[in-house]
């Protein structure tokens, strides 16, 4: 039968490694969600043409899906999630540098495209990593 909530919650104390991993994963989820939505809300500022911005977003998202497949297959869900998260954080930091790359493009634009693509892949992979970490009885908790 199904375990009661308190039996599931007690497993965090009985198995401390599981509790530590769950707490760490909570903060990784928070970081991935904040970066994902932060980058996603900025697509309209990539270009003056709204259609071009959405076309770039489409290409970035497709590259993220490809990254999810190959990252999960060759590196594993944990390593590839952390790698894509690190690339996103680095791209977010690089976006603060004010460098003009051309008449319409800045370093901020390029790093936002890279960051958005990589955080999209991390967002897709973290679902896989979470399901590998938690036992079936604890996934809906």
């Amino acid at each position: 039968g199904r375990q009661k909530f308190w039996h599931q919650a007690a497993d965090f104390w009985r198995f401390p490694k599981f509790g530590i991993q769950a707490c760490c994963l909570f903060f990784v989820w928070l970081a991935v969600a904040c970066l994902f939505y932060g980058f996603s809300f900025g697509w309209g500022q990539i270009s003056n043409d709204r259609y071009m911005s959405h076309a770039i977003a489409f290409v970035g998202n497709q590259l993220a899906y490809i990254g999810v497949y190959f990252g999960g297959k060759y590196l594993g869900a944990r390593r590839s999630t952390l790698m894509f998260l690190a690339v996103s954080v680095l791209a977010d930091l690089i976006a603060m540098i004010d460098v003009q790359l051309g008449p319409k493009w800045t370093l901020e634009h390029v790093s936002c495209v890279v960051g958005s693509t990589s955080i999209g892949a991390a967002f897709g992979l973290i679902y896989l990593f979470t399901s590998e970490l938690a036992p079936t009885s604890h996934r809906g908790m």
Side-chain angles (χ1 to χ4, degrees), residues 60-76:
N61 286 332
Q62 296 310 308
L63 291 173
Y65 298 142
I66 292 168
V68 167
Y69 175 75
F70 286 108
K73 183 175 181 179
Y74 294 111
L75 295 175

Side-chain angles (χ1 to χ4, degrees), residues 12 21 100:
F12 289 112
Q21 286 177 336
Q100 193 74 26

Side-chain angles (χ1 to χ4, degrees), residues 14-33:
R14 278 186 288 198
F15 306 105
K17 184 178 178 184
F18 178 61
I20 291 169
Q21 286 177 336
C23 289
C24 290
L25 196 58
F26 167 77
F27 289 109
V28 171
W29 262 106
L30 182 65
V32 167

Side-chain angles (χ1 to χ4, degrees), residues 66-100:
I66 292 168
V68 167
Y69 175 75
F70 286 108
K73 183 175 181 179
Y74 294 111
L75 295 175
R78 182 190 334 172
R79 284 190 188 128
S80 53
T81 299
L82 293 176
M83 179 193 71
F84 284 123
L85 180 60
V87 169
S88 301
V89 169
L90 186 64
D92 193 34
L93 293 173
I94 290 173
M96 294 181 209
I97 302 170
D98 189 22
V99 175
Q100 193 74 26

